[in-house]
Short mmCIF file of all heavy atoms in Angstrom, two decimals:
data_model
loop_
_atom_site.label_atom_id
_atom_site.label_comp_id
_atom_site.label_asym_id
_atom_site.label_seq_id
_atom_site.Cartn_x
_atom_site.Cartn_y
_atom_site.Cartn_z
N ARG O 376 26.61 86.12 47.56
CA ARG O 376 26.94 86.09 49.00
C ARG O 376 25.63 86.01 49.80
O ARG O 376 24.68 86.73 49.54
CB ARG O 376 27.72 87.29 49.40
CG ARG O 376 28.28 87.26 50.83
CD ARG O 376 29.08 88.48 51.15
NE ARG O 376 30.28 88.56 50.40
CZ ARG O 376 31.43 87.96 50.64
NH1 ARG O 376 31.49 87.22 51.75
NH2 ARG O 376 32.47 88.08 49.89
N LYS O 377 25.68 85.18 50.84
CA LYS O 377 24.60 85.20 51.84
C LYS O 377 24.98 86.35 52.84
O LYS O 377 26.07 86.29 53.43
CB LYS O 377 24.57 83.85 52.59
CG LYS O 377 23.49 83.72 53.66
CD LYS O 377 23.48 82.32 54.23
CE LYS O 377 22.48 82.16 55.32
NZ LYS O 377 22.46 80.76 55.85
N PRO O 378 24.14 87.35 53.00
CA PRO O 378 24.53 88.46 53.87
C PRO O 378 24.94 88.00 55.30
O PRO O 378 24.43 87.03 55.80
CB PRO O 378 23.22 89.31 53.90
CG PRO O 378 22.52 88.90 52.70
CD PRO O 378 22.80 87.43 52.46
N SER O 379 25.82 88.83 55.91
CA SER O 379 26.28 88.47 57.23
C SER O 379 25.16 88.64 58.29
O SER O 379 25.07 87.89 59.22
CB SER O 379 27.41 89.37 57.62
OG SER O 379 28.54 89.13 56.78
N GLU O 380 24.31 89.60 58.02
CA GLU O 380 23.15 89.85 58.90
C GLU O 380 21.88 89.77 58.05
O GLU O 380 21.78 90.53 57.13
CB GLU O 380 23.28 91.19 59.60
CG GLU O 380 24.44 91.28 60.57
CD GLU O 380 24.39 92.66 61.31
OE1 GLU O 380 23.51 93.45 61.05
OE2 GLU O 380 25.33 92.84 62.10
N LEU O 381 21.01 88.82 58.37
CA LEU O 381 19.84 88.61 57.61
C LEU O 381 18.63 89.29 58.28
O LEU O 381 18.48 89.21 59.52
CB LEU O 381 19.54 87.12 57.45
CG LEU O 381 20.66 86.31 56.84
CD1 LEU O 381 20.22 84.84 56.75
CD2 LEU O 381 21.02 86.82 55.51
N GLN O 382 17.85 89.93 57.52
CA GLN O 382 16.67 90.65 58.05
C GLN O 382 15.47 90.20 57.24
O GLN O 382 15.46 90.02 56.04
CB GLN O 382 16.85 92.16 57.90
CG GLN O 382 17.94 92.70 58.85
CD GLN O 382 17.93 94.26 58.94
OE1 GLN O 382 17.24 94.89 58.13
NE2 GLN O 382 18.66 94.79 59.90
N PHE O 383 14.39 90.01 58.03
CA PHE O 383 13.12 89.69 57.42
C PHE O 383 12.07 90.65 58.00
O PHE O 383 11.96 90.83 59.19
CB PHE O 383 12.69 88.26 57.76
CG PHE O 383 13.69 87.21 57.21
CD1 PHE O 383 14.83 86.87 57.93
CD2 PHE O 383 13.52 86.68 55.96
CE1 PHE O 383 15.71 85.91 57.40
CE2 PHE O 383 14.41 85.80 55.46
CZ PHE O 383 15.49 85.38 56.17
N ASN O 384 11.38 91.32 57.06
CA ASN O 384 10.31 92.31 57.53
C ASN O 384 10.96 93.34 58.41
O ASN O 384 10.38 93.79 59.40
CB ASN O 384 9.18 91.61 58.20
CG ASN O 384 8.42 90.65 57.36
OD1 ASN O 384 8.28 90.88 56.15
ND2 ASN O 384 8.04 89.49 57.90
N GLY O 385 12.19 93.73 58.08
CA GLY O 385 12.84 94.80 58.78
C GLY O 385 13.48 94.42 60.09
O GLY O 385 14.07 95.21 60.79
N GLN O 386 13.38 93.12 60.50
CA GLN O 386 13.91 92.69 61.79
C GLN O 386 14.97 91.57 61.52
O GLN O 386 14.80 90.70 60.66
CB GLN O 386 12.84 92.16 62.73
CG GLN O 386 11.81 93.21 63.07
CD GLN O 386 10.79 92.70 64.06
OE1 GLN O 386 10.74 91.50 64.32
NE2 GLN O 386 9.96 93.59 64.60
N GLU O 387 16.05 91.62 62.33
CA GLU O 387 17.05 90.59 62.19
C GLU O 387 16.50 89.22 62.55
O GLU O 387 15.72 89.08 63.54
CB GLU O 387 18.26 90.92 63.07
CG GLU O 387 19.40 89.97 62.86
CD GLU O 387 20.62 90.38 63.69
OE1 GLU O 387 20.71 91.52 64.15
OE2 GLU O 387 21.54 89.56 63.84
N ASP O 388 16.82 88.26 61.71
CA ASP O 388 16.36 86.92 62.00
C ASP O 388 17.00 86.40 63.28
O ASP O 388 18.22 86.26 63.36
CB ASP O 388 16.77 85.99 60.81
CG ASP O 388 16.31 84.58 61.02
OD1 ASP O 388 15.51 84.34 61.91
OD2 ASP O 388 16.78 83.69 60.28
N GLU O 389 16.15 86.06 64.25
CA GLU O 389 16.70 85.66 65.54
C GLU O 389 17.39 84.31 65.50
O GLU O 389 18.18 83.95 66.36
CB GLU O 389 15.53 85.57 66.55
CG GLU O 389 14.51 84.52 66.20
CD GLU O 389 13.27 84.52 67.18
OE1 GLU O 389 13.25 85.42 68.05
OE2 GLU O 389 12.45 83.68 67.05
N HIS O 390 17.17 83.55 64.44
CA HIS O 390 17.81 82.22 64.31
C HIS O 390 19.22 82.34 63.78
O HIS O 390 19.99 81.37 63.77
CB HIS O 390 16.96 81.29 63.44
CG HIS O 390 15.60 81.02 63.97
ND1 HIS O 390 15.42 80.36 65.19
CD2 HIS O 390 14.39 81.43 63.53
CE1 HIS O 390 14.13 80.27 65.46
NE2 HIS O 390 13.45 80.86 64.45
N GLN O 391 19.57 83.49 63.24
CA GLN O 391 20.91 83.65 62.63
C GLN O 391 21.86 84.05 63.74
O GLN O 391 21.55 84.79 64.67
CB GLN O 391 20.89 84.74 61.52
CG GLN O 391 19.98 84.36 60.40
CD GLN O 391 20.48 83.22 59.61
OE1 GLN O 391 21.63 82.88 59.68
NE2 GLN O 391 19.57 82.61 58.88
N HIS O 392 23.12 83.61 63.60
CA HIS O 392 24.11 84.01 64.57
C HIS O 392 25.39 84.40 63.75
O HIS O 392 25.62 83.90 62.66
CB HIS O 392 24.42 82.91 65.57
CG HIS O 392 24.95 81.64 64.93
ND1 HIS O 392 24.12 80.64 64.48
CD2 HIS O 392 26.19 81.23 64.68
CE1 HIS O 392 24.83 79.63 63.95
NE2 HIS O 392 26.11 80.00 64.07
N ASN O 393 26.14 85.27 64.28
CA ASN O 393 27.36 85.72 63.60
C ASN O 393 28.56 84.86 63.97
O ASN O 393 29.09 84.97 65.03
CB ASN O 393 27.63 87.18 63.95
CG ASN O 393 26.58 88.14 63.40
OD1 ASN O 393 26.14 87.94 62.26
ND2 ASN O 393 26.28 89.16 64.11
N SER O 394 28.79 83.92 63.08
CA SER O 394 30.01 83.12 63.36
C SER O 394 31.21 83.84 62.78
O SER O 394 31.12 84.63 61.83
CB SER O 394 29.88 81.73 62.65
OG SER O 394 29.61 81.88 61.32
N PRO O 395 32.40 83.59 63.32
CA PRO O 395 33.62 84.32 62.82
C PRO O 395 33.82 83.93 61.39
O PRO O 395 33.53 82.81 60.94
CB PRO O 395 34.69 83.84 63.72
CG PRO O 395 34.20 82.53 64.31
CD PRO O 395 32.73 82.71 64.39
N PRO O 396 34.34 84.93 60.56
CA PRO O 396 34.60 84.60 59.19
C PRO O 396 35.57 83.38 58.99
O PRO O 396 36.54 83.26 59.73
CB PRO O 396 35.26 85.92 58.66
CG PRO O 396 34.88 86.94 59.65
CD PRO O 396 34.70 86.25 60.95
N ALA O 397 35.19 82.53 58.14
CA ALA O 397 36.02 81.41 57.74
C ALA O 397 36.35 80.56 58.94
O ALA O 397 37.45 79.99 59.04
CB ALA O 397 37.32 81.88 57.05
N ALA O 398 35.44 80.46 59.91
CA ALA O 398 35.63 79.46 61.00
C ALA O 398 35.45 78.01 60.39
O ALA O 398 34.61 77.90 59.54
CB ALA O 398 34.66 79.72 62.11
N LYS O 399 36.22 77.09 60.89
CA LYS O 399 36.24 75.76 60.34
C LYS O 399 34.82 75.16 60.57
O LYS O 399 34.27 75.17 61.60
CB LYS O 399 37.25 74.91 60.95
CG LYS O 399 37.50 73.57 60.17
CD LYS O 399 38.69 72.89 60.72
CE LYS O 399 38.94 71.56 59.92
NZ LYS O 399 40.08 70.89 60.47
N SER O 400 34.27 74.57 59.48
CA SER O 400 32.91 74.05 59.58
C SER O 400 32.96 72.67 60.31
O SER O 400 33.93 71.99 60.28
CB SER O 400 32.32 73.83 58.18
OG SER O 400 32.96 72.77 57.52
N SER O 401 31.75 72.31 60.83
CA SER O 401 31.61 70.96 61.36
C SER O 401 31.45 70.04 60.15
O SER O 401 31.06 70.48 59.05
CB SER O 401 30.42 70.95 62.27
OG SER O 401 29.26 71.30 61.56
#
Side-chain angles (χ1 to χ4, degrees):
R376 186 179 298 276
K377 180 178 179 177
S379 297
E380 294 183 1
L381 303 180
Q382 292 190 348
F383 297 88
N384 298 321
Q386 296 184 352
E387 186 175 343
D388 180 13
E389 62 183 7
H390 299 294
Q391 300 292 340
H392 61 273
N393 291 324
S394 56
K399 191 172 182 180
S400 71
S401 60

